[in-house]
Amino acid sequence: MLAPFPSDRVSSDSMSIPPLSVRDLSVQYGGRTALSGFSWDAPERGLVAIVGPNGAGKSTLLKAVLGLVPKARGTAEIFGRSVSDQRDLLAYVPQRASVDWDFPATAADVVAMGLYRRIGWLKPVRSADRVSAHNYLDMVRLSEFADRQIGALSGGQQQRVFLARALAQQAKLFLLDEPFAGVDAVTEGVMTEVFRSLRDAGALVVCVHHDLSSVKEIFDHVVLLNRELIASGPVATTFTPDNIARTYGVPLSLNPGQ
Amino acid sequence: MKDVYPLAAVLLLQAGYNTIVVMLGAAALGAATGIVGVFAMLRRRALIADAVAHATLPGVALGFITAVALGFSGRSLPFLLTGAAITAILAALSIQWVANRTRLTEDTAIASVLATFFALGIVLLTVIQTLKTGGQAGLDIYLLGATAGMLREEAITLAVFSLIVAAIVAALFKELTLISFDADYARAHGFPVRLLDFAILALVLAVVVIGLRVVGLILIVALLITPPAAARFWTDHTGRMTMISAAIGAFSAYFGAAISAISPDTPTGAVIVLVAFSILLLSVFFGAARGIVVRGIGARRVRATP
């Protein structure tokens, strides 16, 4: 039987180390500062929303942590070690629009990609892996769509396929780029439910999020970002009108070189 | 009409041992290009493949000149293919350099590198025509391909190389599929995307160079891209698509070699490409997964059941 969600893949003493710790991270895009001096220690577990206006560097933050865009300065650690040492503990869900959904693959094929690291090099995907992929699809309520070509799924279903692929990795830290963008109510419900089970199993889920109105209902922690850290902490105390106004309202003209 | 019977005889392997070996060698090449082509297409490397193919021309010419200078026959295959590989690699590196280090976009880099290397090749061919040595006429086949006069050993070498290429793709199949679908995800999870991209490019280079003799450098990109394009209409699985693409590539090359056996003056490459294109055309209409006919029936069915 499959372990539905991550269990004891991290030794207990590492639990006091933050799942994600970012120090003084800066990113430049062609001379423009996308992110500057960002430092943050993630809570041990829970659901974190990274919130900020367009161009605030939310996706850039995730990509810099993962090494997809170069860091101008700073470091990122996962459970106290460099990201490249800890890739087995993390699962990344890119923006849905970042891939070609016409690709010759079914929902089950894409979910199986989450198993590739564990299957290993030079080995094919076996029928046991396919069964496993079906189980993860079941967790996001898509088992009847397993054999459907991915382009024939709705946007919300595609997002759930991506989530199932991440679940297949049995990670402790989930980094998701706009998972709620343009999804239907059913998908929003399923994803929220899955995120809560992950939190209850001890995982940390970090989402770049654009919809201010649903932050309180879905997340328990928030990071307010506008090219630099504005505020971070529990939603109840940090997601205040004052902090939101500081993130969205006042343009950051103090940033040198802008 | 009287040509049809010999064609049928040749296709059914009744044409003598040497011809059969050559046809099977060509088929192995077609299978290899069909397989590699799947990833050239899915990873969007079709234009780069065309550029490196055209960039083999100066290499072929320089190989000829070097061979003659060293006292070998100008048409000795090792010299020609080594030269072809070298200038093809140089072209691939030039494209990367222009795209990364200048503000020009990749398609601009590809177009300019293709044209420049091809032009250099044409100039060198003209120089070769003025050399007082034999064998210049034989260089034409590297432009448009020919299987007429091909030796049994050449055909066997072709088949062996093709099998190696197919084996490499089979070994890396999961990872190549992954980077073709979602490179950012692959990179985030520690897959060596640059290395795998390099593997795709190296495989493209390999089949282009191996295929020069049969298909010719001008048209070989069609044998890379047309089979996977046709195969895509028959299935929604990358694995099945790769097998179908291999079959289409093999059949096209086999057919082209058969025509060449009957009519040695017909450029093999052109025939191969026309066969592959006919299959693409059929696939666009009748493909089982996304052909126009099937989609039309599917759409009607959806409308009928609310």
Side-chain angles (χ1 to χ4, degrees):
Chain A
M1 187 53 206
L2 258 159
F5 292 118
S7 48
D8 52 348
R9 301 188 69 238
V10 183
S11 61
S12 54
D13 56 271
S14 72
M15 291 308 283
S16 54
I17 303 169
L20 176 62
S21 174
V22 183
R23 286 280 154 273
D24 194 26
L25 181 65
S26 297
V27 178
Q28 304 267 344
Y29 271 136
R32 196 182 75 90
T33 303
L35 197 63
S36 135
F38 179 90
S39 295
W40 178 57
D41 281 329
E44 198 174 286
R45 63 160 70 176
L47 308 182
V48 182
I50 300 176
V51 175
N54 286 335
K58 306 185 295 287
S59 299
T60 303
L61 170 61
L62 292 192
K63 288 181 179 171
V65 163
L66 294 164
L68 303 180
V69 298
K71 304 177 187 68
R73 209 173 59 230
T75 56
E77 289 186 338
I78 291 177
F79 292 108
R81 291 168 64 186
S82 79
V83 176
S84 51
D85 290 343
Q86 303 280 52
R87 305 247 185 221
D88 282 329
L89 298 178
L90 70 90
Y92 171 54
V93 177
Q95 280 186 19
R96 186 159 51 85
S98 68
V99 304
D100 171 17
W101 291 92
D102 248 352
F103 196 85
T106 60
D109 291 338
V110 172
V111 176
M113 290 176 185
L115 302 166
Y116 281 8
R117 263 184 82 92
R118 246 175 302 147
I119 294 170
W121 290 91
L122 308 180
K123 291 187 196 128
V125 177
R126 296 191 187 283
S127 55
D129 303 318
R130 285 200 195 91
V131 171
S132 171
H134 276 257
N135 289 341
Y136 289 110
L137 272 173
D138 199 30
M139 289 179 202
V140 297
R141 313 263 172 78
L142 283 179
S143 42
E144 69 267 43
F145 296 98
D147 297 323
R148 177 109 27 123
Q149 196 270 331
I150 48 174
L153 300 169
S154 74
Q157 289 167 337
Q158 291 173 345
Q159 192 66 57
R160 280 187 271 160
V161 168
F162 263 11
L163 177 58
R165 178 176 68 172
L167 292 176
Q169 293 167 245
Q170 300 189 336
K172 293 289 293 176
L173 169 62
F174 291 79
L175 302 173
L176 300 96
D177 201 344
E178 300 267 16
F180 290 99
V183 304
D184 52 286
V186 175
T187 297
E188 188 169 319
V190 170
M191 289 205 303
T192 308
E193 191 183 309
V194 170
F195 289 164
R196 288 187 180 138
S197 331
L198 287 171
R199 174 186 59 195
D200 297 345
L204 177 71
V205 178
V206 180
C207 297
V208 168
H209 194 64
H210 67 290
D211 177 17
L212 293 178
S213 67
S214 60
V215 169
K216 278 189 171 137
E217 166 194 336
I218 301 173
F219 297 95
D220 40 40
H221 284 74
V222 67
V223 172
L224 290 160
L225 181 72
N226 194 346
R227 297 207 199 140
E228 54 186 30
L229 181 66
I230 307 295
S232 70
V235 168
T237 53
T238 310
F239 197 60
T240 58
D242 192 36
N243 279 338
I244 296 168
R246 282 208 293 143
T247 311
Y248 285 83
V250 189
L252 275 184
S253 52
L254 302 175
N255 217 343
Q258 291 305 301
Chain B
M1 271 312 280
K2 75 180 195 336
D3 279 349
V4 171
Y5 298 108
L7 177 60
V10 171
L11 281 174
L12 296 170
L13 298 176
Q14 290 163 359
Y17 183 62
N18 197 55
T19 309
I20 290 169
V21 172
V22 167
M23 283 165 59
L24 293 178
L29 169 74
T33 52
I35 289 167
V36 172
V38 168
F39 293 100
M41 176 177 126
L42 293 177
R43 191 70 179 131
R44 296 164 198 270
R45 293 291 188 270
L47 288 175
I48 292 186
D50 197 23
V52 298
H54 279 76
T56 57
L57 185 58
V60 168
L62 288 171
F64 182 93
I65 292 169
T66 311
V68 169
L70 294 174
F72 291 91
S73 155
R75 281 158 71 183
S76 79
L77 214 50
F79 282 97
L80 299 181
L81 296 191
T82 308
I86 290 172
T87 52
I89 291 168
L90 281 177
L93 293 174
S94 312
I95 289 168
Q96 273 201 331
W97 190 86
V98 173
N100 291 341
R101 297 297 163 86
T102 71
R103 296 219 146 209
L104 297 175
T105 56
E106 196 183 42
D107 60 325
T108 311
I110 291 168
S112 51
V113 167
L114 182 153
T116 309
F117 275 74
F118 193 66
L120 180 64
I122 296 288
V123 170
L124 286 170
L125 277 190
T126 318
V127 171
I128 288 173
Q129 300 305 322
T130 65
L131 294 179
K132 292 193 163 35
T133 172
Q136 288 97 328
L139 285 182
D140 296 356
I141 64 172
Y142 293 96
L143 284 171
L144 291 171
T147 46
M150 195 166 157
L151 300 173
R152 201 177 303 163
E153 291 73 24
E154 287 180 63
I156 291 169
T157 313
L158 208 67
V160 171
F161 268 112
S162 300
L163 289 176
I164 294 172
V165 164
I168 293 171
V169 173
L172 297 176
F173 192 79
K174 290 199 311 297
E175 289 75 16
L176 295 178
T177 307
L178 181 63
I179 66 157
S180 301
F181 174 59
D182 196 345
D184 269 357
Y185 172 87
R187 213 172 282 128
H189 294 97
F191 289 89
V193 174
R194 283 172 68 102
L195 205 64
L196 290 162
D197 268 333
F198 177 79
I200 293 177
L201 192 57
L203 289 165
V204 165
L205 266 165
V207 291
V208 162
V209 171
I210 298 166
L212 283 187
R213 175 71 170 81
V214 173
V215 192
L217 59 92
I218 294 178
L219 292 175
I220 187 134
V221 71
L223 191 55
L224 266 168
I225 298 307
T226 317
R232 184 65 188 90
F233 287 93
W234 294 96
T235 175
D236 287 325
H237 291 275
T238 313
R240 276 173 223 161
M241 178 180 160
T242 308
M243 284 183 260
I244 296 169
S245 177
I248 294 172
F251 177 77
S252 308
Y254 182 82
F255 199 92
I259 297 275
S260 233
I262 303 162
S263 161
D265 293 335
T266 314
T268 313
V271 176
I272 291 174
V273 169
L274 289 177
V275 173
F277 177 75
S278 310
I279 298 171
L280 172 60
L281 207 58
L282 283 174
S283 306
V284 168
F285 286 99
F286 303 111
R290 33 180 55 202
I292 289 171
V293 173
V294 169
R295 289 203 147 183
I297 292 168
R300 209 168 301 138
R301 200 182 297 145
V302 167
R303 251 177 273 132
T305 53

